[in-house]
């Protein structure tokens, strides 16, 4: 055990990895599109990523299909996180909407989208979150909906606060909403985080920077959309999601 | 189109994603139900108490049609209503407990492709894991191109171990000795 890990230590590690990526790109490598599972600045990733390469198999009859969800699995209120208690939650009311597409640009229809997030003060309604910020009795912070025929999802919620997380001294997560999305194939599964534009915490956060390609990081950031804002009511954000997945899910028609 | 990158499920998914009975895929009281259970371990061999496993499989006849109802909500008060106890949906979701242990109660999958050994597809999420991992559990011996391509030590990480009639053990190791085979579908 050495000295406590500081933000400066983490900044240096993030910068070193960034410089290595920039050098590879300058040498003609494509910019990384995906997250890096082995990303040492995020200390919890050290013992939780495989060291063997993934085994490529095209024998995937099960994984090219996936679970189905229906009207029994959601209720009409699930998509409005501000209505889950008797009173109004505190914070900045927002709507978040967008489309879920596959890599061929086709809408992902009738699939389940789940979200969870901290409250406006940056506190999760979870026993293990002991950040000394107030819980909000009118906000749990979980929601779900099914995508429509255009692949659209939509939530009404409260803008989450930033929160500290002990990866290193003075580690703070940029504000984010956790998203879980099902595609039409189990092999298209995605769990990710939606970020808000211009967050000053981006450069300091190892989880955000574990996506080492700048263009790829931008794909995790929602866009403020004034046309989605509602007079005297809420601010609007738009975030489209593209599901990754085997080429079989986007080359072949009719799946 | 370029994919949206993955991020870790984080430590606080517990009140959003898992539900009571999420691992009880077999209809209530079904005589053919089997239990598959085990631990999830990290690269130091320590159990992972904040992992989430999802399972997707064919029904006993080999059908991959699936059915809604894995996450049924109560339309009166919005709470989780549980499965209806009749329909086999093909999908289950289980968080590891404080010991890193999980259990799935299911019906043995049928062969999705005739002549190939059936398997349960598994998707692993965890705090610290920046992108989920896919693996499989084969309950019965058999061979297919994937199993045939692996050396015996690695192949064994995909094969459940019979523990007692109707009960199988199956550990998942994210890293290190006995690291589970994780898959890429191309
Ligand atoms: Fe979070």
């Amino acid at each position: 055990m050495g000295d406590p890990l500081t933000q400066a230590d983490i900044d240096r590690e993030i910068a070193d990895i960034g410089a290595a990526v920039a050098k590879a790109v300058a040498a003609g490598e494509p910019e990384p599109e995906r997250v890096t599972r082995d990303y040492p600045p995020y200390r919890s990733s050290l013992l939780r990523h495989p060291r063997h390469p993934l085994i490529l198999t095209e024998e995937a009859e099960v994984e090219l299909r996936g679970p189905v969800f229906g009207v029994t699995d959601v209720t009409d209120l699930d998509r409005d996180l501000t209505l889950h208690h008797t009173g109004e939650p505190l914070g900045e009311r927002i709507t978040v909407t967008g489309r879920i597409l596959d890599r061929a640009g086709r809408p992902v229809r009738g699939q389940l989208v789940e979200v969870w997030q901290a409250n406006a003060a940056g506190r999760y309604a979870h026993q293990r979150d002991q950040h000394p910020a107030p819980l909000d009795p009118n906000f749990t912070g979980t929601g779900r909906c099914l995508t429509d025929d255009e692949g659209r999802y939509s939530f009404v919620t409260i803008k989450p606060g930033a929160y500290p997380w002990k990866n290193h001294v003075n580690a703070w997560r940029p504000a984010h909403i956790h998203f879980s999305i099902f595609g039409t194939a189990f092999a298209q599964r995605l769990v990710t985080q939606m970020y808000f534009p211009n967050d000053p915490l981006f450069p300091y956060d190892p989880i955000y920077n574990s996506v080492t390609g700048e263009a790829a990081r931008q794909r995790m950031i929602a866009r403020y959309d004034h046309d989605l804002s509602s007079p005297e009511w809420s601010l609007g954000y738009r975030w489209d999601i593209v599901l990754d997945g085997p080429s079989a899910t986007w080359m072949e028609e009719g799946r | 189109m370029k994919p949206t990158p993955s991020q870790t499920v984080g430590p606080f998914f517990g009140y959003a994603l898992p539900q009571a009975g999420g691992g009880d895929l077999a209809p209530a009281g079904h005589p053919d139900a089997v239990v598959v259970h085990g631990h999830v371990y990290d690269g130091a061999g320590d159990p992972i108490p904040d992992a989430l496993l999802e399972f997707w499989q064919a029904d006993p006849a080999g059908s991959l049609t699936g059915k809604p109802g894995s996450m049924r909500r109560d339309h009166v008060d919005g709470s989780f209503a549980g499965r209806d106890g009749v329909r086999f949906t093909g999908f289950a979701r289980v968080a590891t407990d404080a010991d890193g242990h999980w259990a799935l109660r299911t019906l043995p999958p049928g062969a999705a492709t005739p002549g190939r050994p059936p398997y349960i597809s598994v998707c692993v999420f965890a705090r610290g894991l920046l992108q989920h991992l896919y693996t499989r559990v084969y309950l019965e011996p058999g061979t297919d191109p994937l199993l045939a391509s692996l050396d015996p030590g690695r192949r064994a990480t995909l094969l459940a171990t019979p523990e007692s009639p109707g009960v199988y053990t199956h550990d998942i190791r994210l890293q290190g000795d006995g690291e589970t085979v994780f898959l890429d579908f191309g």
Side-chain angles (χ1 to χ4, degrees):
Chain A
M1 287 292 166
D3 294 332
L5 195 62
T6 66
Q7 182 71 54
D9 298 325
I10 294 296
D11 290 348
R12 203 171 309 114
E13 294 181 23
I14 290 174
D16 287 350
I17 294 168
V21 169
K23 193 173 159 200
V25 169
E29 299 255 337
E31 193 179 81
E33 286 188 359
R34 299 181 173 83
V35 75
T36 310
R37 283 196 189 86
D38 175 13
Y39 192 73
Y42 176 30
R43 287 298 190 263
S44 300
S45 78
L46 287 172
L47 293 171
R48 295 187 172 196
H49 68 273
R51 294 201 193 282
H52 284 92
L54 303 190
I55 303 292
L56 179 64
T57 178
E58 276 152 32
E59 309 292 330
E61 45 284 286
V62 177
E63 292 86 354
L64 290 177
R65 304 288 292 273
V68 294
F69 301 98
V71 292
T72 56
D73 293 310
V74 295
T75 75
D76 293 342
L77 287 187
D78 288 345
R79 55 169 291 274
D80 190 336
L81 286 69
T82 70
L83 296 181
H84 294 178
H85 298 274
T86 50
E88 281 275 343
L90 293 171
E92 185 182 315
R93 190 185 297 106
I94 60 173
T95 59
V96 179
T97 187
R99 293 179 75 207
I100 300 187
L101 306 169
D102 69 12
R103 294 201 61 176
R106 294 174 302 200
V108 173
R109 301 186 172 102
Q111 285 295 342
L112 183 69
V113 183
E114 297 162 284
V115 293
W116 69 103
Q117 62 166 92
N119 69 22
R123 177 91 182 259
Y124 282 90
H126 188 294
Q127 187 174 285
R128 281 186 51 216
D129 184 1
Q130 291 298 319
H131 169 35
L135 284 167
D136 183 340
N138 291 315
F139 191 74
T140 304
T142 69
R144 47 181 55 211
C145 71
L146 297 176
T147 54
D148 70 11
D149 279 352
E150 265 78 60
R152 257 192 311 264
Y153 71 88
S154 150
F155 292 101
V156 179
T157 185
I158 293 295
K159 189 174 181 196
Y163 61 84
W165 64 297
K166 296 184 176 160
N167 182 69
H168 52 277
V169 175
N170 214 14
W172 290 81
R173 294 297 327 280
H176 59 274
I177 299 177
H178 295 266
F179 270 71
S180 158
I181 301 120
F182 287 85
T184 51
F186 198 47
Q188 288 177 301
R189 196 79 180 80
L190 176 66
V191 166
T192 186
Q193 302 178 22
M194 184 202 92
Y195 297 93
F196 291 86
N198 305 312
D199 195 311
L201 291 169
F202 285 152
Y204 306 100
D205 180 39
I207 293 181
Y208 172 76
N209 288 290
S210 65
V211 176
T212 57
E214 173 59 22
R217 282 196 297 271
Q218 293 296 323
R219 293 198 290 276
M220 301 190 291
I221 305 175
R223 177 164 62 82
Y224 172 70
D225 184 339
H226 200 67
D227 290 335
L228 281 177
S229 292
S230 187
E232 323 304 319
W233 182 249
S234 67
L235 294 174
Y237 289 88
R238 186 176 297 280
W239 188 48
D240 292 335
I241 298 165
V242 177
L243 298 185
D244 209 344
S247 54
T249 61
W250 54 289
M251 299 300 285
E252 291 174 22
E253 232 9 277
R255 250 183 217 288
Chain B
M1 301 182 81
K2 303 278 194 195
T4 306
S6 169
Q7 295 272 267
T8 175
V9 75
F12 298 134
F13 60 83
Y15 69 105
L17 301 183
Q19 292 163 331
D24 292 336
L25 181 47
H30 198 292
D32 300 335
V34 298
V35 172
V36 188
H37 74 112
H39 289 82
V40 182
Y41 295 106
D42 71 12
D46 292 326
I48 297 182
D50 40 21
L52 180 77
L53 302 182
E54 290 182 346
F55 303 92
W56 162 242
Q57 64 165 85
D59 73 10
S63 167
L64 286 165
T65 307
K67 288 188 177 67
S70 299
M71 307 207 177
R72 251 168 22 108
R73 312 298 286 186
D74 185 312
H75 282 244
V76 175
D77 67 9
S79 66
F80 178 52
R83 297 171 192 272
D84 66 9
V86 181
R87 283 180 291 186
F88 184 81
T89 68
F91 176 75
R93 177 187 271 171
V94 187
T96 53
D97 66 15
D99 288 331
H101 182 259
W102 56 273
L104 170 71
R105 224 183 105 266
T106 189
L107 300 178
T113 305
R116 294 270 175 85
Y119 58 86
I120 301 168
S121 186
V122 186
C123 187
V124 183
F125 301 90
R127 179 180 67 81
L129 177 59
L130 283 156
Q131 180 164 0
H132 59 268
L133 292 164
Y134 293 103
T135 182
R136 292 176 179 175
V137 186
Y138 292 77
L139 298 182
E140 302 299 333
T143 193
D144 62 18
L146 170 66
L147 293 175
S149 72
L150 299 169
D151 71 56
R154 298 224 72 209
R155 186 190 306 140
T157 70
L158 301 182
L159 309 178
T161 307
E163 178 184 290
S164 60
V167 181
Y168 299 82
T169 55
H170 189 78
D171 292 332
I172 294 172
R173 295 174 193 278
L174 296 191
Q175 189 187 86
D177 286 345
E179 184 177 299
T180 297
V181 167
F182 296 108
L183 302 172
D184 174 359
F185 303 111

